[in-house]
Amino acid sequence: MATPSLDSARAADAAIEKAPDLLPEALPGRRPSLVGLTRDALKAQLIGMGVPERESRMRAGQLWHWVNFRGATDFAEMTNVGKALKAQLAEHFTLERPEVASRQVSRDGTRKWLLRMAPTNRQEHNRGAEIECVYIPGPDRGTLCVSSQVGCTLTCSFCHTGTQRLVRNLSAPEIVQQLVTARDELGDWPGQMPSRDAGGSGEVGRLVTNIVFMGMGEPLYNLDAVVDAVGVMSDQEGLGLSKRRITVSTSGVVPQIPRLGEQANAMLAVSLHAVRDELRDELVPLNRKYPIAELLAACRAYPGLSNARRITFEYVMLKGVNDSDADARELVRLLKGIPAKINLIPFNPWPGSRYECSDWDRIEHFSEIVFNAGYASPVRTPRGRDILAACGQLKSETEKLRARARMMQEEGIGVEGFYAGADD
């Protein structure tokens, strides 16, 4: 029988982190997709299929080129792969991506996709888990915001994504498949020559130039998959993104921060949001495990940290909560000596939230104090608010739509086309 103190400790942990509802398992009769696999995993699949080991490296290199550089969707496209091997591949594997269950385009050009993954657990039956990823176009870059979990481990009080249950971690291939699907949707593969803007009049070039792990989930609670995904995304013979253009955001999982730098060599972003432990305990309950001093010590020791590889500190602006001049000055003091950029994020409202966004003049004054202390302090322009694609809003609208769809189905009302009309 649990003691009161142990019960209290468990309750406290539950208020900080959630356990996953599901764990992936092998499902009989389903051919796995080769999209998103690491080089080693791809080679292992070929050997398991019967390709001789002495030949497997060369064959894996061929498949890697077609899958990750050319974006092939059918083994028949692989002109330098023999007919017999292509037939064997098609018998054992697929090149499937997640199903795009819903597409929404904001007035500002931001795109949000609801992606339905292949089932990975008997409890999911024939419908895999659903996640959202967001593409944010800009004049000199295009940023894809990817998810690392279905739901979120954490319970940050200002974030709508954090109010949802944690279903499961995404695998490394499922993380990479978000980028592959975005390139499919945008026509962003070699030979397709996309324009950098929606009107078709911009500079020709890759549309997805940057990746941010700022979608659903806490990436450092799924670090093995995140490290592998970064490796696949940054392979210069495949998807070809620079690691300096891949940013992994964390709410402060301190023990995993060194490993992220050592193994992924990605840029680091930290969701800070408060300069006092008692306030951060409320906004980001993970702070009760890893308080501000420990978090900043890990940041100062982050592998590869330099003026050229600054840490980005995310700071959501909450009216009357964390937006005073004193907060700005304390932020500057805390970050002294850390090569850093401070992103000020106007709070993105969601139904039921008890917070409000700081007034614009207050945000500007806060930014001025930080800027005058020598830190870049851009105010992030909210993008995709009208389709609930902005920071902290992911999946919320989807869950409402899914609930409505289930209700309609139970009442015998057809739901065909339901998601297509979701933004009417």
Side-chain angles (χ1 to χ4, degrees):
M1 182 174 178
T3 65
S5 59
L6 184 57
D7 286 341
S8 299
R10 287 173 176 166
D13 284 346
I16 296 172
E17 301 153 341
K18 299 179 286 255
D21 287 351
L22 302 176
L23 294 174
E25 63 182 49
L27 292 179
R30 292 196 64 87
R31 291 177 297 156
S33 174
L34 298 181
V35 178
L37 295 181
T38 64
R39 284 183 181 270
D40 287 345
L42 184 56
K43 181 180 173 182
Q45 289 283 23
L46 292 178
I47 292 172
M49 186 185 73
V51 174
E53 185 155 2
R54 65 182 181 277
E55 188 183 321
S56 61
R57 182 175 179 182
M58 183 266 289
R59 294 302 184 192
Q62 289 176 321
L63 286 175
W64 184 271
H65 175 81
W66 283 103
V67 173
N68 292 316
F69 184 79
R70 293 184 177 270
T73 58
D74 193 311
F75 293 112
E77 300 173 39
M78 301 179 180
T79 54
N80 62 342
V81 177
K83 185 176 180 180
L85 180 57
K86 284 191 285 191
Q88 194 178 7
L89 288 167
E91 181 182 349
H92 287 85
F93 307 112
T94 75
L95 297 176
E96 287 180 357
R97 288 85 154 112
E99 176 190 351
V100 181
S102 171
R103 300 170 176 87
Q104 290 178 282
V105 182
S106 168
R107 289 185 291 268
D108 60 29
T110 298
R111 296 171 181 263
K112 182 172 76 169
W113 297 292
L114 171 64
L115 304 182
R116 183 174 299 134
M117 301 299 178
T120 61
N121 189 288
R122 295 177 189 276
Q123 292 172 263
E124 293 178 341
H125 304 293
N126 294 321
R127 295 176 63 87
E130 293 175 349
I131 56 124
E132 290 183 338
C133 71
V134 174
Y135 173 68
I136 307 164
D140 60 349
R141 70 181 64 192
T143 301
L144 187 70
C145 180
V146 300
S147 296
S148 55
Q149 296 180 311
V150 184
C152 187
T153 306
L154 302 180
T155 57
C156 300
S157 62
F158 60 88
C159 178
H160 204 176
T161 310
T163 66
Q164 298 157 50
R165 66 194 179 105
L166 172 63
V167 179
R168 64 173 176 86
N169 285 334
L170 292 175
S171 67
E174 288 173 325
I175 295 172
V176 176
Q177 286 168 15
Q178 295 171 66
L179 171 57
V180 172
T181 301
R183 285 196 170 163
D184 290 345
E185 291 284 299
L186 296 168
D188 195 21
W189 293 106
Q192 296 176 322
M193 302 299 287
S195 168
R196 287 190 186 277
D197 70 5
S201 59
E203 175 190 356
V204 170
R206 276 281 165 85
L207 292 180
V208 180
T209 62
N210 293 60
I211 299 288
V212 292
F213 283 75
M214 297 181 183
M216 296 165 57
E218 165 52 63
L220 297 199
Y221 277 128
N222 189 20
L223 188 53
D224 287 343
V226 168
V227 168
D228 284 347
V230 170
V232 176
M233 291 172 171
S234 61
D235 190 299
Q236 294 306 298
E237 295 180 359
L239 294 166
L241 289 166
S242 167
K243 287 189 176 181
R244 291 186 62 176
R245 290 180 174 266
I246 300 176
T247 300
V248 178
S249 178
T250 179
S251 293
V253 187
V254 169
Q256 298 285 45
I257 289 175
R259 186 176 156 219
L260 174 69
E262 291 161 3
Q263 297 186 9
N265 196 27
M267 304 296 283
L268 174 65
V270 174
S271 297
L272 189 60
H273 309 310
V275 295
R276 303 181 307 280
D277 280 322
E278 60 270 22
L279 177 58
R280 196 165 190 268
D281 286 350
E282 176 188 340
L283 298 179
V284 186
L286 184 65
N287 194 71
R288 300 172 201 162
K289 271 192 170 183
Y290 310 115
I292 292 172
E294 291 183 26
L295 174 58
L296 296 184
C299 291
R300 286 187 167 87
Y302 189 67
L305 181 63
S306 68
N307 286 328
R309 293 178 62 85
R310 296 176 294 173
I311 294 174
T312 298
F313 288 90
E314 309 280 350
Y315 196 96
V316 66
M317 300 299 295
L318 303 172
K319 186 174 183 177
V321 175
N322 65 351
D323 61 354
S324 69
D325 288 357
D327 289 317
R329 288 190 289 268
E330 179 63 7
L331 179 60
V332 169
R333 189 193 70 79
L334 286 173
L335 300 187
K336 185 176 181 180
I338 302 177
K341 178 178 77 171
I342 299 156
N343 268 353
L344 302 180
I345 307 170
F347 172 67
N348 295 303
W350 44 271
S353 171
R354 65 181 184 270
Y355 299 108
E356 297 179 44
C357 182
S358 302
D359 296 332
W360 192 253
D361 59 350
R362 176 92 301 265
I363 297 175
E364 287 187 327
H365 194 61
F366 192 104
S367 175
E368 184 179 354
I369 292 172
V370 175
F371 177 79
N372 288 340
Y375 291 96
S377 54
V379 179
R380 185 190 291 176
T381 303
R383 301 290 298 272
R385 273 184 171 178
D386 55 317
I387 58 171
L388 289 180
C391 180
Q393 292 182 320
L394 288 194
K395 196 62 163 61
S396 52
E397 183 67 12
T398 297
E399 287 205 335
K400 286 197 297 182
L401 293 176
R402 297 280 297 141
R404 287 175 58 196
R406 283 195 298 271
M407 179 188 70
M408 293 168 67
Q409 196 170 41
E410 288 168 2
E411 294 179 359
I413 304 171
V415 295
E416 294 81 1
F418 184 80
Y419 289 103
D423 55 346
D424 293 343

